[in-house]
Amino acid sequence: MATIFRKKSIGAILSDVDSGMGDSHGVSLKRVLGVRDLTALGVAAVIGAGIFSSIGKAAYDGGPGVVFLYIFTAIACGFAALCYAEFASTVPVSGSAYTYSYVAFGEIFAWIIGWDLLMEYAIGNIAVAISWSDYFTNLVNKAGIHIPDWLTMDYMTAHAGYEKIHAAMSTGANLNTLNPTEISQYYAWTNAPMLGSLRMIIDVPAMMIVALITYIVYVGIRESRTASNIMVGIKLAIILLVILVGAFYINTDNWSPFMPNGVGGILKGVSAVFFAYIGFDAISTTAEECKDPQRDLPRGMIYALIICTVLYVLVSLVLTGMVHYSQLNVGDPLAMVFDAVNMKFVSAIVAGSAIIATASVLLVFQLGQPRIWMSMSRDGLLPGIFSRIHPKYGTPSFSTILTGCVVALPALFLNLDIVLALTSIGTLFAFVLVCGGILVLQMQPERPQSKFKVPYINGQWIYPAGLVATIIAIIYYQPYYFQDIIALETFPMIVFWLVAVILAIYTIKNRFSLIPILGLVSCFYLMAQESHTNWMRFIIWLVIGLVVYFLYGYTHSKLAKKQV
């Protein structure tokens, strides 16, 4: 079984890059991206539904103190971004965390993270497509164009809304006084055409936007870059408008109390907030389309993270200053706050820009997934057709089309709540492995050359001392904390503390660098905040992936054939 831990050497990977690393017809990807383009792609991925929608629910749960959640998440992502940046500079190929894990941990971990990234990108894009559909439907409704309700949502959502309205009406409630969203769901159910006993309820706008974005990604990286840069410019202008105009309507009394629901309330938004940040790692999948990946990828990642964090914090402060946080549990908080101060024109602009913002996220994720599949195919872990590059457009053609189908078809039927949390836990797992991979690289006698390296700070005593101090503080302030987490529902936190303690032991022994440790621990802590049911779904997904690996990848691995 030791063969499942076989590793790819960095030298072999770089040799493949130098030889062109094209598909079987000798066609390679086109190098056209600079640091500005990469930064724009990062901003395109991070500034989306998180700032136009989920920021409202996060502020409702955490109050104005939600800014601390954005800062903490950015710090956790920042540690991971530094680790990504070193890997991207050391191994400048399109595989992202998949390739990095192949180098650091071996083939089985590479497959696991590649399978995990399939969930991150594909399921994440399903969520984004559904969100885009909601924004689009609301906008055209306001413009007086009504799309039949049964063509704008999924079956489960419509059925749930029907049940709620039906129950309310059975008690004598007036339909016109009930929740408008649930009324829409009710009509979707009652007006849907029937196919036998099945109601035909599908989310057509979600499918259509995926088809459009997939076409743009398919026809070329230049076209994708241009579309991304335009969309980023528009939404940055809108966000700055929100910040500058909204600042004049801030009532500082709304910031008191700053943390009305304590730390627990702030952490309730961790899934939604982290979902907003996951896009920066997609930049690394474009490594082979960068003019100078070793220099520009690290810069693009870090610049994008800094810009997005500043914007999230400023928007959070403006929103919670303009209205009381208790009013922000709405789907369009940016538009709502301007409605509240009778600035309908700004509200309309914000509502319209959400469509552009969400589409840009979709574009970046649709870029990332095919390039992961392409890298796995090159290594023999997937069939060769996945690495086929279009002779004219210079894009992974089959993988791009398949990605579009994998996202568009489920987007017709799936519920947003089902897919959102799975994306966050999958991304955090990738971050954990990338941070751990840097620790492995730093332990090598001859650390690989790179234009960017994570600064080394000896964590031998700093991290263990910090861990001990944290445990003592928890026991002092919450004496029953460790007793309370001994339960099935809280087993992720048990796993977190075990990993934290084991890592402290190895840090003392091996003098691990502090930054990758902090990245690994902070991302694992955020993983532990997910529910045990999400963990179970995640584990089941990985088990399915292992079955696929041993049925195909294990025997078709090119590295295995070389070692025979």
Side-chain angles (χ1 to χ4, degrees):
M1 292 296 289
T3 53
I4 66 175
F5 296 103
R6 51 199 170 214
K7 298 181 180 181
K8 288 191 72 175
S9 69
I10 294 176
I13 294 174
L14 296 180
S15 176
D16 288 338
V17 174
D18 291 338
S19 64
M21 209 172 186
D23 67 357
S24 58
H25 299 91
V27 183
S28 298
L29 301 175
K30 298 178 180 178
R31 294 189 178 275
V32 300
L33 301 178
V35 65
R36 184 178 63 182
D37 303 316
L38 293 168
T39 303
L41 285 172
V43 174
V46 176
I47 300 293
I51 207 164
F52 284 90
S53 178
S54 58
I55 193 172
K57 179 63 165 62
Y60 172 78
D61 289 329
V66 73
V67 296
F68 295 129
L69 179 57
Y70 282 105
I71 293 170
F72 174 67
T73 305
I75 291 172
C77 288
F79 293 138
L82 291 173
C83 296
Y84 262 97
E86 176 167 345
F87 263 125
S89 185
T90 306
V91 194
V93 297
S94 294
S96 185
Y98 158 77
T99 301
Y100 308 157
S101 296
Y102 218 147
V103 169
F105 300 111
E107 185 171 283
I108 187 64
F109 282 96
W111 170 266
I112 288 172
I113 200 61
W115 186 257
D116 167 66
L117 288 171
L118 166 61
M119 180 173 67
E120 174 192 337
Y121 286 109
I123 295 182
N125 248 0
I126 293 169
V128 175
I130 295 170
S131 294
W132 186 93
S133 175
D134 292 341
Y135 291 129
F136 177 77
T137 302
N138 290 334
L139 187 65
V140 296
N141 278 338
K142 290 179 179 178
I145 304 171
H146 181 69
I147 302 173
D149 295 315
W150 57 273
L151 289 176
T152 64
M153 66 187 70
D154 65 280
Y155 184 95
M156 292 175 59
T157 297
H159 183 259
Y162 170 80
E163 291 290 335
K164 289 181 181 179
I165 296 296
H166 182 71
M169 292 176 64
S170 65
T171 62
N174 186 330
L175 181 62
N176 295 326
T177 64
L178 301 178
N179 187 307
T181 300
E182 292 174 354
I183 292 174
S184 173
Q185 295 163 0
Y186 172 82
Y187 282 126
W189 181 265
T190 55
N191 296 333
M194 304 286 289
L195 183 63
S197 59
L198 179 66
R199 295 179 185 272
M200 299 300 295
I201 303 173
I202 54 177
D203 196 341
V204 172
M207 183 194 70
M208 296 302 294
I209 187 59
V210 174
L212 174 62
I213 294 297
T214 301
Y215 172 76
I216 294 173
V217 172
Y218 181 83
V219 298
I221 188 65
R222 286 190 179 90
E223 291 76 6
S224 301
R225 175 191 63 183
T226 301
S228 171
N229 289 345
I230 292 172
M231 288 189 284
V232 167
I234 293 172
K235 68 182 177 182
L236 286 182
I238 299 301
I239 291 169
L240 290 175
L241 175 68
V242 168
I243 293 171
L244 294 175
V245 176
F248 289 99
Y249 293 88
I250 289 176
N251 179 0
T252 55
D253 291 341
N254 289 327
W255 288 339
S256 180
F258 202 72
M259 297 171 56
N261 300 314
V263 175
I266 291 175
L267 290 176
K268 276 186 179 181
V270 66
S271 287
V273 169
F274 194 81
F275 181 78
Y277 273 96
I278 64 176
F280 82 85
D281 72 317
I283 303 173
S284 63
T285 67
T286 64
E288 291 171 49
E289 289 147 302
C290 299
K291 297 173 184 176
D292 187 350
Q294 293 181 307
R295 181 197 67 186
D296 293 345
L297 277 172
R299 294 182 181 181
M301 290 180 185
I302 295 169
Y303 292 166
L305 196 60
I306 292 172
I307 292 169
C308 294
T309 301
V310 171
L311 291 177
Y312 271 115
V313 169
L314 291 177
V315 170
S316 298
L317 290 173
V318 168
L319 290 184
T320 54
M322 290 180 69
V323 301
H324 195 262
Y325 72 91
S326 60
Q327 301 177 41
L328 288 171
N329 190 18
V330 295
D332 54 350
L334 268 66
M336 185 276 287
V337 294
F338 285 100
D339 282 336
V341 295
N342 294 316
M343 295 195 68
K344 304 292 184 181
F345 177 70
V346 176
S347 174
I349 293 175
V350 170
S353 66
I355 293 177
I356 298 172
T358 312
S360 71
V361 179
L362 199 62
L363 185 145
V364 178
F365 281 15
Q366 288 295 94
L367 271 175
Q369 180 61 65
R371 285 148 182 80
I372 300 292
W373 274 340
M374 179 186 69
S375 296
M376 296 175 75
S377 174
R378 287 170 171 171
D379 295 327
L381 303 186
L382 289 176
I385 192 172
F386 283 85
S387 57
R388 181 178 297 168
I389 298 175
H390 196 283
K392 177 181 178 181
Y393 300 132
T395 57
S397 53
F398 175 80
S399 293
T400 299
I401 293 173
L402 183 61
T403 297
C405 294
V406 167
V407 174
L409 296 180
L412 284 170
F413 308 106
L414 287 185
N415 183 285
L416 181 60
D417 294 335
I418 295 175
V419 298
L420 187 61
L422 275 175
T423 305
S424 293
I425 196 171
T427 307
L428 283 164
F429 182 63
F431 288 5
V432 166
L433 283 187
V434 169
C435 292
I438 291 297
L439 295 177
V440 173
L441 287 187
Q442 292 179 343
M443 290 176 61
Q444 294 181 0
E446 295 184 5
R447 188 172 174 182
Q449 293 297 314
S450 175
K451 290 186 178 180
F452 178 88
K453 290 186 177 181
V454 177
Y456 177 80
I457 302 172
N458 189 350
Q460 183 178 26
W461 302 114
I462 299 175
Y463 170 66
L467 181 63
V468 170
T470 300
I471 293 173
I472 292 173
I474 290 173
I475 293 173
Y476 180 78
Y477 290 106
Q478 299 185 31
Y480 299 103
Y481 172 81
F482 288 102
Q483 179 180 327
D484 292 341
I485 66 172
I486 307 299
L488 174 63
E489 292 77 10
T490 52
F491 83 84
M493 284 305 302
I494 298 175
V495 175
F496 165 75
W497 286 110
L498 287 175
V499 169
V501 171
I502 292 171
L503 186 60
I505 295 171
Y506 275 92
T507 300
I508 294 173
K509 179 181 177 181
N510 298 310
R511 298 185 177 184
F512 283 155
S513 176
L514 185 63
I515 291 177
I517 292 173
L518 293 178
L520 192 158
V521 171
S522 56
C523 289
F524 207 108
Y525 177 76
L526 290 174
M527 270 187 83
Q529 299 302 306
E530 300 286 354
S531 69
H532 72 288
T533 54
N534 283 333
W535 271 68
M536 294 306 296
R537 293 189 190 108
F538 177 61
I539 292 170
I540 291 170
W541 176 257
L542 294 186
V543 170
I544 294 172
L546 288 175
V547 172
V548 175
Y549 170 74
F550 284 109
L551 288 177
Y552 183 88
Y554 179 72
T555 55
H556 289 79
S557 167
K558 292 182 180 179
L559 187 59
K561 294 176 181 178
K562 289 180 181 178
Q563 294 178 351
V564 172

